[in-house]
Amino acid sequence: MSVFETALPLTMMAVLVLVLFSGFPVAFCLAGVGLVFALVGGLLDMFVPAQLFLIVSRIWGSIADNLVLVAIPMFIFMGIMLERSGVARHLLEILSVLMRRVPGGLALSVVLMGTIMAATTGIVGASVVMLALLALPVMMERGYDKGITAGVISASGTLGILIPPSIMLVIMGDLLAIPVGDLFTGAVIPGFMLSGLYLVYIVVMALLKPERMPRLEKTPLDEGQRFVVLLLKGFLPPTALVVMVLGSIIGGFATPTEAAGVGAFGATMLAMVNRTFSFRLLKDVVQGTALTNAMIFGIFCGATLFSYVFRELGGDDAIVHLIELLDLHDWTLLLLLMVIIFLLGFFFDWLEITLIILPVFRPIVMALDFGDAVPKDKILLWFAIAVAVNLQTSYLTPPFGPALFYLRQAGQGYLTLGEIYKGIIPFTLLQLTGLLLCLLFPALVLWLPSYLGY
């Protein structure tokens, strides 16, 4: 490629970064930059404007007609229904009682609740807000350190982006042509490993500095009939829903789309059992699902246009050419790609990074060779899960970490933004530790899929 042919697509990427900082809706930024550079490419005889007519068929064939992506609105519905039906509130009460005697019991309860909710839905915003509304007042009342409180709630709420069933993994499977079942299975151990790292950190901190996480006193729920009723209504049903949804996918009994349907139905049944179901609740949940789903698919459409023009202008070849000029070892190159994704997470949402960067990195990763450490046919799966762990940090890293602003909004009057920033530092380091473990020990990602025959 000539220097000019390399410069145009790289300029297109740089312009997109600048436009995204404008605060304009992401879908329109992607589509607008794509259209402008299609025009520029046409004037320079590098792009045929008539090719834009192919965008419609691409959007229809790869997005609107994709049965796998049908799982997204149903997983969103399941998460919103569980949040607004009171299931989560009962779950936190039960976990608080069960963990009362353990150091840092209330913080541990929040992590466990975030883990269970993550295994039923992949909506981080809803999880963080829900945990903040339910746990933040209680933790402040019990004298918990503000930094610990902010970090625990933020980090626990982000687990849903990694632990299956994750919307991000569904989108990754479509972009990288990897079966979603493989991704779900590969993410199980890393996802629960991150949760385990949070739990260990909390216990250690509670033992070293007990004044930052006072033990819970005995509550009326510890004994009596009410505890048994709450256990039956608030703990066992959501746990059973996790087993049904996640177990059916991993066991190969259902596709992600079928399991999502079961999850949406199960969440509705739980609302009925808790006697919180109403047509007004159903209307609110459907409306919330539609708005979230429209936002995601709008970004899909914009990203499809952008990526098509980028490739037609030689963007893929330009990136590969730059990588070849660097002449890095395969492991060094992998680390560089991870650093790039981590740095992008400071400024952009996971959806933008996934839709723009993954298709560009895919041919580069497929050409890598890690010898006996990672089988050639499993490199893309391993890379995808590592990226998923990496992208979880994008929710916690300032200045644009979404989880931080969800918590700030929900916790007004309790936490300042500075206290939130301070509190998430150790949990971001724990997430990077989890990423490093996945890179150093690929079996953490690949063992379960291989064991189950994926």
Side-chain angles (χ1 to χ4, degrees):
M1 296 181 69
S2 67
V3 175
F4 183 75
E5 290 174 330
T6 303
L8 186 61
L10 296 180
T11 303
M12 182 180 179
M13 186 69 75
V15 169
L16 175 65
V17 171
L18 293 176
V19 172
L20 287 173
F21 278 111
S22 69
F24 207 62
V26 175
F28 297 142
C29 290
L30 290 165
V33 172
L35 287 173
V36 169
F37 274 84
L39 177 61
V40 173
L43 295 174
L44 298 174
D45 293 327
M46 295 177 63
F47 185 84
V48 180
Q51 290 177 284
L52 289 175
F53 287 103
L54 297 174
I55 299 297
V56 177
S57 61
R58 278 177 168 263
I59 290 174
W60 175 258
S62 64
I63 302 175
D65 197 34
N66 192 325
L67 292 178
V68 174
L69 297 182
V70 175
I72 293 177
M74 288 190 286
F75 281 137
I76 294 173
F77 179 94
M78 178 173 63
I80 296 177
M81 180 63 79
L82 288 173
E83 174 205 354
R84 299 185 183 179
S85 63
V87 173
R89 184 178 65 256
H90 292 155
L91 184 61
L92 182 60
E93 288 184 48
I94 290 294
L95 291 173
S96 298
V97 173
L98 293 177
M99 304 301 296
R100 183 178 63 82
R101 299 182 183 277
V102 183
L106 185 54
L108 294 176
S109 301
V110 173
V111 174
L112 291 174
M113 180 179 171
T115 304
I116 295 174
M117 298 305 294
T120 57
T121 178
I123 309 174
V124 170
S127 297
V128 174
V129 171
M130 175 189 64
L131 288 174
L133 293 176
L134 294 178
L136 184 55
V138 179
M139 296 178 82
M140 291 293 93
E141 181 185 338
R142 300 296 170 87
Y144 266 63
D145 178 80
K146 290 185 176 182
I148 290 286
T149 300
V152 167
I153 293 175
S154 300
S156 301
T158 64
L159 288 170
I161 207 63
L162 178 62
I163 295 177
S166 162
I167 295 173
M168 180 171 68
L169 295 180
V170 175
I171 295 174
M172 279 187 170
D174 180 64
L175 291 173
L176 299 176
I178 303 174
V180 177
D182 291 14
L183 288 171
F184 278 7
T185 309
V188 169
I189 293 178
F192 287 102
M193 177 182 68
L194 278 183
S195 177
L197 289 174
Y198 299 163
L199 295 173
V200 171
Y201 171 76
I202 290 169
V203 171
V204 171
M205 287 299 297
L207 291 173
L208 294 178
K209 298 182 178 180
E211 70 279 2
R212 300 183 68 185
M213 287 181 277
R215 289 177 181 264
L216 292 175
E217 297 178 359
K218 191 172 183 179
T219 68
L221 287 180
D222 286 339
E223 300 172 356
Q225 186 178 3
R226 190 183 172 197
F227 176 73
V228 176
V229 171
L230 275 177
L231 186 64
L232 294 175
K233 290 181 61 177
F235 183 75
L236 296 181
T239 305
L241 186 62
V242 171
V243 173
M244 283 194 300
V245 174
L246 190 54
S248 62
I249 297 172
I250 295 177
F253 301 111
T255 65
T257 304
E258 293 167 344
V262 172
F265 177 77
T268 305
M269 291 298 101
L270 288 182
M272 291 182 175
V273 170
N274 284 344
R275 297 182 180 180
T276 55
F277 180 84
S278 66
F279 285 105
R280 182 170 183 174
L281 172 66
L282 182 62
K283 177 186 175 182
D284 291 343
V285 172
V286 170
Q287 186 176 30
T289 301
L291 291 174
T292 305
N293 192 59
M295 180 271 293
I296 292 174
F297 277 77
I299 295 177
F300 257 122
C301 293
T304 300
L305 194 158
F306 177 88
S307 61
Y308 178 74
V309 175
F310 183 76
R311 287 195 182 94
E312 290 299 314
L313 293 178
D316 288 357
D317 294 333
I319 297 295
V320 172
H321 182 63
L322 284 178
I323 295 297
E324 290 175 347
L325 289 177
L326 293 175
D327 192 26
L328 298 176
H329 186 274
D330 288 354
W331 283 100
T332 307
L333 179 55
L334 176 67
L335 184 60
L336 175 63
L337 298 182
M338 288 296 162
V339 170
I340 291 173
I341 292 171
F342 175 71
L343 294 177
L344 287 174
F346 278 79
F347 307 103
F348 303 114
D349 189 66
W350 68 267
L351 188 57
E352 301 155 27
I353 298 172
T354 300
L355 293 175
I356 298 169
I357 297 299
L358 282 191
V360 175
F361 283 178
R362 184 176 187 271
I364 299 172
V365 173
M366 292 183 68
L368 299 179
D369 186 358
F370 299 101
D372 295 334
V374 185
K376 190 70 175 176
D377 61 335
K378 299 294 184 182
I379 288 179
L380 205 56
L381 171 61
W382 172 56
F383 174 76
I385 300 301
V387 169
V389 177
N390 197 343
L391 284 177
Q392 191 178 349
T393 63
S394 69
Y395 272 95
L396 298 181
T397 47
F400 297 112
L404 309 182
F405 292 99
Y406 294 144
L407 178 59
R408 179 72 179 90
Q409 186 65 29
Q412 287 185 355
Y414 290 102
L415 300 169
T416 65
L417 200 55
E419 290 167 339
I420 295 173
Y421 282 165
K422 181 181 178 181
I424 56 92
I425 292 175
F427 290 90
T428 302
L429 295 176
L430 289 173
Q431 290 180 344
L432 292 176
T433 300
L435 172 61
L436 184 61
L437 290 173
C438 289
L439 294 176
L440 293 177
F441 305 101
L444 291 172
V445 175
L446 302 177
W447 176 80
L448 189 57
S450 300
Y451 179 78
L452 296 174
Y454 282 94

